[in-house]
């Protein structure tokens, strides 16, 4: 089993993801440079980490989508490979149209950096199968463009296809405007594609995967991937 962590100019969570895979869940992992232009072979899961790829110029993720590695990731995903985008990685996945919707400026137009409760809405994915449905977990968020938007018809299809995976909430699991930090429609914090092999989320599970960080709630995202791959 092998993970790949893509490094874009401006990525700043690549090392955190690499560390969690290598030293926390003890799996094989390799960095993938953004200029890589060959078929992605030997990998089981690709991680697009958080950060400010290409300085977030134009729009977060808008330039990274044109990196040489992105067609290779699309090819990897279309062949059934697992892809997870965290924060800026989520933004890149929507810009690349690998996930529906878009991520725009937070409703208060400010950068938000805090711990945030989220509810696991769908556990029938390779990324959340070790959580329980409705479980409330605590993950850090840090973004200025995390306000998830999508047109009404696509949202309807996403609900039917169970593509909403995480929602912002309070510690009791209540989902409402007061528990929504950035204005996302339906308080959406994470979504997957229809086939469930591509997952994007704004919270940072890699920053809550060790006791020394005060919380391990994010660790099961990565362990879920391992569990899914071992069960195939």
């Amino acid at each position: 089993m092998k993970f790949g962590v893509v490094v874009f100019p401006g990525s700043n969570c690549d090392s955190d993801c690499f560390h969690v895979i290598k030293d926390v869940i003890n799996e094989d992992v390799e960095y993938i440079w953004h200029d890589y232009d060959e078929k992605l072979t030997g990998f089981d899961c690709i991680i697009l980490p958080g950060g400010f790829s290409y300085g977030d110029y134009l729009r977060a993720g808008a330039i990274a989508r044109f990196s040489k590695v992105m067609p290779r990731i699309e090819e990897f995903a279309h062949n059934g490979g697992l892809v997870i985008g965290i924060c800026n990685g989520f933004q890149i996945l929507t810009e690349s149209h690998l996930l529906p919707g878009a991520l725009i400026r937070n409703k208060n137009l400010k950068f938000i950096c805090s711990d945030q409760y989220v509810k696991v809405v769908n556990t029938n994915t390779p990324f959340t199968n070790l959580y329980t449905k409705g479980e409330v977990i605590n993950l850090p968020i840090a973004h200025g463009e995390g306000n998830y938007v999508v047109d009404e018809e696509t949202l309807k299809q996403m609900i039917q296809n169970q593509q909403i995976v995480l929602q912002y909430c309070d510690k009791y699991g209540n989902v409402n405007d007061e528990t929504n930090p950035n204005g996302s429609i339906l308080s959406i914090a994470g979504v997957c594609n229809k086939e469930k092999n591509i997952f994007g989320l704004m919270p940072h599970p890699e920053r809550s995967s060790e006791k020394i960080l005060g919380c391990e709630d994010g660790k099961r995202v990565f362990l879920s991937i391992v569990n899914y791959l071992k069960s195939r």
Side-chain angles (χ1 to χ4, degrees):
M1 187 180 307
K2 188 173 184 178
F3 288 74
V5 178
V6 180
V7 182
F8 299 96
S11 294
N12 63 13
C13 298
D14 44 335
S15 296
D16 296 341
C17 292
F18 190 97
H19 165 69
V20 169
I21 301 301
K22 181 176 184 293
D23 302 319
V24 178
I25 68 169
N26 301 310
E27 296 293 341
D28 193 14
V29 59
E30 182 179 311
Y31 286 119
I32 302 172
W33 189 236
H34 68 101
D35 232 11
Y36 190 80
D37 191 21
E38 297 179 22
K39 187 173 183 177
L40 294 170
T41 56
F43 294 100
D44 297 290
C45 179
I46 302 297
I47 300 174
L48 276 64
F52 302 90
S53 58
Y54 297 90
D56 276 355
Y57 290 112
L58 280 182
R59 194 173 56 245
I63 298 178
R65 66 164 290 198
F66 295 107
S67 295
K68 289 183 179 179
V69 75
M70 287 310 299
R72 298 303 184 179
I73 291 174
E74 291 177 26
E75 178 185 43
F76 178 81
H78 288 152
N79 288 330
L82 300 184
V83 178
I84 176 172
I86 301 169
C87 197
N88 191 225
F90 185 14
Q91 294 161 339
I92 295 168
L93 290 176
T94 57
E95 290 288 339
S96 303
H97 305 296
L98 286 170
L99 287 175
L103 292 144
I104 64 173
R105 294 287 301 276
N106 297 337
K107 64 179 179 181
N108 62 6
L109 303 181
K110 296 180 180 178
F111 189 93
I112 301 171
C113 184
S114 66
D115 289 335
Q116 173 66 47
Y117 291 107
V118 296
K119 178 186 287 187
V120 183
V121 180
N122 186 357
T123 58
N124 189 28
T125 81
F127 311 93
T128 54
N129 58 74
L130 291 182
Y131 294 96
T132 57
K133 188 171 183 177
E135 182 176 352
V136 176
I137 59 176
N138 192 11
L139 300 176
I141 59 171
H143 57 252
E145 297 176 53
N147 186 353
Y148 184 79
V149 295
V150 67
D151 67 87
E152 187 175 337
E153 182 56 33
T154 302
L155 180 62
K156 182 179 177 182
Q157 294 173 7
M158 290 173 65
I159 293 172
Q160 291 175 342
N161 296 329
Q162 299 184 320
Q163 291 176 245
I164 299 171
V165 181
L166 300 175
Q167 285 179 299
Y168 300 110
C169 66
D170 64 16
K171 64 181 178 180
Y172 303 108
N174 296 310
V175 176
N176 51 51
D177 289 344
E178 286 70 35
T179 63
N180 184 346
N182 52 31
S184 292
I185 189 168
L186 292 184
S187 295
I188 288 174
V191 303
C192 64
N193 63 336
K194 185 178 178 181
E195 293 75 18
K196 310 288 191 297
N197 67 312
I198 305 175
F199 177 42
L201 71 167
M202 289 311 297
H204 286 266
E206 79 281 9
R207 297 183 187 176
S208 59
S209 291
E210 295 178 272
K211 285 183 179 178
I212 195 172
L213 299 177
C215 183
E216 294 182 290
D217 284 357
K219 184 177 177 180
R220 275 179 287 163
V221 169
F222 304 103
L223 291 176
S224 289
I225 296 170
V226 173
N227 185 53
Y228 171 82
L229 291 171
K230 285 183 176 177
S231 65
R232 286 200 301 185

